[in-house]
DNA sequence: CTGAAAGCGCTTACAG
DNA sequence: CTGAAAGCGCTTACAG
């Protein structure tokens, strides 16, 4: 392995000077700089990031902490990651997905090793033990989502009020007065405390009276087959002609199940996806009308928020990003009966 | 930050001895061990992984290199990752997803920093520039997939011959004699060199004459809408009553498109997914019959192969894992016409 | 502008 | 079984 020492000897300078040109951290005369650069090229020098990290006390590694063992990474999260990684890379950081389970212990161990400079925490619960662990560790972090007390931390999140309003108003404009909100849990044990569920439900419950609509919420899980799922959802609120569905997988299964049980979408019932990926809409028949999750924008904002913290820049105010309306063919005017 | 030095002083021993008990690397009398452990607990000592990495020349970080900027991470890859990460974790390694673009340059830069001890390379092309980069770098690696010359490297891959045979024989047993293979490209520029495409196509072309069946292959991309997609695929081989589809997204879109264009699945045409996620089958209407990608098993085997290399263990022979048949309702006997 | 030197927090021969 | 010391490859005051 070629080290700075080798380069320094080859160029006839001290390793400090080599460091100054590698990092562009102090002025160096053009002549010495040229000698050093030539030596680096000739020897094929690559700066050792581990040594750099130890000396500078910064690894420049950021961890996207996602509970992959408990909850599968979905399309929107992958979009989020890609966008956040690009933003981090542009500012000289590595952003990697670090698989950590949800209970906080494993995260504590990771942070104790001081291998990562900062954390982007995903799939935040209202009361999330991982947040306490992060706080105690002193590692800078930003939340993608919010806890019960949002303003204690840096975060970016989806604007659930605006998203629910967008969906509800779309259906209301089509004449639907009775709505069902379906929360499709990706985990077995239920998700009452999961931020997106709690906030979507709250926004839904607050908005319906304002719009003089009726609504019910039902939580389902991933194990049921499409037919049973559709029957159960319809039975939970038989008057509903409009259904909002929180996760993509559940939305697609519901549409399939409605058809198989003889209900026409959108003829009998209109269905919309919430926080969905455009990609999911395209595989649905009919193409799903949806509120598209703002993965790319959240990714950029999340990475920015974290990096500003790391670099002691002025924090930006927390941002809430609404989902965008994406037209499909799964919603239509209520049938006059 | 509490260091080994602090622990050593607190326990009245040298830092070497602390290191011996932390790593369990040399015998230490129970009495001193107890003193040291007590000191660690009392001071809240956590071993600094960066310093450890520099001194031992091993970071214990393994990178799952996936070209996230070019190709979206799909469900099977996520399953692969989760399983590989668990296997790595059990052996004391961190396995993280490192976003690196496909062209090799970025990978070279990453490896030069010596931040990762080993690489699991995904989405391998037949001629993959990233493999040359890995080889030159001296970083241990294993391929998930194979290049044109498989046996020069450690790899694990899907058994495409067995997988194609499983699908073809299922359809042949139902009486289908004319088959179409659809390769659904996730990227714009086509994927001729992408391992799974090339090997599936080759297996398909080799098998059909043996079974005295006819077949055609068609490559499509992700931009077309479902109806146009279905029309084009049917037109490419009008006699076909059985269709095999390589990627999940394309399979779902095709089934939707067939229905919308008036063809019944499986009444008129049987459709099967190849290398698919069980999850995708469940959101399809009718539920998709498929050959399930062995993400979890490949993940375990891939992590093992890499770690054996890192630890200078005897290499295991390369493994090919077949997809498992997963019954659905998208295939049925050929209609006698 | 450049260099000598301390130090980042560990591991690992080596000696006893 | 334990310790003193060198060394991993850098960064960063400090001095000149």
């Amino acid at each position: 392995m070629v080290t700075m020492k080798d380069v320094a000897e080859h160029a006839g300078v001290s390793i400090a000077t080599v460091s100054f040109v590698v990092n562009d951290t102090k002025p160096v005369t053009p002549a010495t700089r040229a000698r050093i650069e030539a030596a680096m090229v000739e020897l094929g020098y690559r700066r050792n990031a581990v040594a750099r990290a130890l000396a500078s006390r910064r690894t420049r590694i950021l961890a996207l902490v996602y509970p992959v063992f408990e909850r599968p990474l979905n399309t929107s999260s992958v979009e989020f990651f890609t966008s956040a990684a690009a933003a981090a890379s542009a500012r000289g950081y590595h952003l990697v997905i670090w698989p950590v389970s949800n209970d906080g212990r494993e995260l504590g161990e990771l942070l104790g090793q001081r291998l990562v400079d900062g954390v982007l925490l995903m799939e935040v619960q209202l009361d999330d033990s991982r947040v306490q662990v992060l706080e105690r560790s002193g590692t800078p972090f930003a939340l993608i989502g919010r806890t019960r007390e949002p303003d204690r931390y840096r975060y970016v999140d989806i604007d659930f009020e605006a998203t629910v309003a967008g969906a509800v108003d779309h259906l209301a404009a089509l004449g639907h007065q009775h709505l069902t909100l379906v929360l499709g849990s990706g985990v077995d044990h239920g998700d009452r405390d999961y931020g997106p569920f709690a906030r979507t439900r709250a926004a839904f419950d607050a908005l319906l009276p304002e719009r003089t609509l009726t609504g019910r919420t039902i939580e389902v899980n991933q194990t049921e087959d499409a037919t049973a799922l559709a029957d159960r959802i319809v039975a939970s609120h038989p008057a509903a002609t409009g259904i909002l569905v929180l996760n993509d997988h559940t939305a697609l299964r519901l549409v399939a199940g409605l058809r198989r049980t003889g209900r026409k979408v959108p003829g009998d019932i209109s269905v919309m996806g919430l926080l969905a990926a455009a990609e999911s809409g395209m595989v649905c028949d009919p193409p799903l009308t949806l509120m598209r999750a703002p993965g790319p924008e959240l990714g950029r904002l999340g990475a920015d928020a974290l990096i500003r913290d790391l670099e002691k820049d002025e924090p930006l105010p927390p941002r809430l990003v609404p989902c965008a309306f994406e037209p499909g063919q799964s919603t239509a005017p209520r049938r006059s009966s």
Side-chain angles (χ1 to χ4, degrees), chain A residues 64-74 77 97-107 121-125 128-130 184-191 194 197 221-223 247:
Chain A
L64 181 72
V65 168
Y66 193 105
V68 285
F69 299 116
E70 284 91 354
R71 192 187 289 278
L73 255 176
N74 59 32
S77 303
I97 300 185
W98 213 291
V100 170
S101 77
N102 227 332
D103 67 12
R105 246 183 57 97
E106 231 182 307
L107 179 59
L121 189 72
M122 295 195 72
E123 303 297 302
V124 175
Q125 317 273 328
D128 199 312
S129 61
R130 300 172 304 165
S185 179
V187 300
D188 294 336
H189 51 280
D191 256 330
Y194 178 45
F197 278 19
N221 67 30
Q222 216 117 281
T223 57
N247 97 14

Side-chain angles (χ1 to χ4, degrees), chain A residues 56-114:
Chain A
S56 68
R57 258 144 297 197
R58 309 186 57 184
T59 63
R60 305 191 82 84
I61 298 176
L62 310 180
L64 181 72
V65 168
Y66 193 105
V68 285
F69 299 116
E70 284 91 354
R71 192 187 289 278
L73 255 176
N74 59 32
T75 304
S76 315
S77 303
V78 169
E79 286 178 355
F80 175 92
F81 169 57
T82 305
S83 162
S89 176
R91 303 184 61 170
Y93 291 87
H94 299 289
L95 177 67
V96 303
I97 300 185
W98 213 291
V100 170
S101 77
N102 227 332
D103 67 12
R105 246 183 57 97
E106 231 182 307
L107 179 59
E109 275 168 26
L110 171 62
L111 299 175
Q113 302 186 209
R114 317 258 66 158

Side-chain angles (χ1 to χ4, degrees), chain A residues 33-276:
Chain A
R33 175 182 298 275
R35 279 212 319 287
I36 290 168
E37 279 168 350
M40 293 198 294
V41 170
E42 189 172 339
L43 301 177
Y45 171 74
R46 318 300 253 97
R47 172 175 55 192
N48 183 302
V50 177
R52 183 192 191 201
L54 181 59
S56 68
R57 258 144 297 197
R58 309 186 57 184
T59 63
R60 305 191 82 84
I61 298 176
L62 310 180
L64 181 72
V65 168
Y66 193 105
V68 285
F69 299 116
E70 284 91 354
R71 192 187 289 278
L73 255 176
N74 59 32
T75 304
S76 315
S77 303
V78 169
E79 286 178 355
F80 175 92
F81 169 57
T82 305
S83 162
S89 176
R91 303 184 61 170
Y93 291 87
H94 299 289
L95 177 67
V96 303
I97 300 185
W98 213 291
V100 170
S101 77
N102 227 332
D103 67 12
R105 246 183 57 97
E106 231 182 307
L107 179 59
E109 275 168 26
L110 171 62
L111 299 175
Q113 302 186 209
R114 317 258 66 158
L115 219 39
V116 308
D117 282 352
V119 166
L120 236 36
L121 189 72
M122 295 195 72
E123 303 297 302
V124 175
Q125 317 273 328
L126 291 186
D127 300 289
D128 199 312
S129 61
R130 300 172 304 165
V131 175
Q132 331 297 332
V133 170
L134 279 162
E135 223 173 355
R136 268 198 292 272
S137 78
T139 304
F141 65 97
L143 307 181
I144 314 307
R146 285 167 280 170
T147 60
R148 206 178 290 286
E149 298 174 349
D151 294 322
R152 299 182 51 186
Y153 314 106
R154 300 201 181 210
Y155 71 87
V156 300
D157 200 359
I158 290 170
D159 183 338
F160 293 96
E161 280 74 18
T163 300
V164 167
V168 165
D169 287 343
H170 171 70
L171 291 173
L174 293 169
H176 299 282
Q177 300 181 14
H178 305 289
L179 307 181
T180 300
L181 170 64
V182 178
L183 302 174
S185 179
V187 300
D188 294 336
H189 51 280
D191 256 330
R192 190 159 298 272
D193 200 35
Y194 178 45
F197 278 19
R199 295 188 197 280
T200 299
R201 183 195 287 262
F204 186 73
D205 289 345
L207 185 65
L208 291 197
E210 284 181 30
R211 300 288 196 268
T212 59
L213 305 170
T214 82
R216 300 251 175 86
T217 299
I218 177 173
E219 191 163 332
V220 301
N221 67 30
Q222 216 117 281
T223 57
E224 219 163 7
D225 88 8
T227 306
L229 178 76
D231 281 340
R232 195 151 68 85
I233 288 170
V234 169
S236 76
H237 189 189
T241 57
I243 305 183
L244 309 180
V245 190
L246 188 39
N247 97 14
D248 295 13
H249 192 259
T250 305
L252 296 174
R253 263 163 63 239
L254 171 61
V255 170
L258 287 171
R259 180 174 38 234
R260 267 191 264 163
T261 55
R263 288 117 172 168
K264 299 210 182 319
V265 175
D268 299 323
I269 298 183
S270 288
V271 178
M272 276 190 80
L274 293 183
L275 280 64

Side-chain angles (χ1 to χ4, degrees), chain A residues 303-327:
Chain A
D304 271 6
L306 176 58
I307 292 173
R308 293 185 78 84
D309 195 2
L310 285 165
E311 307 201 330
K312 314 275 184 250
D313 290 344
E314 193 68 15
L316 298 173
R319 281 283 292 278
L320 296 180
V321 184
C323 292
F325 177 77
E326 178 91 17

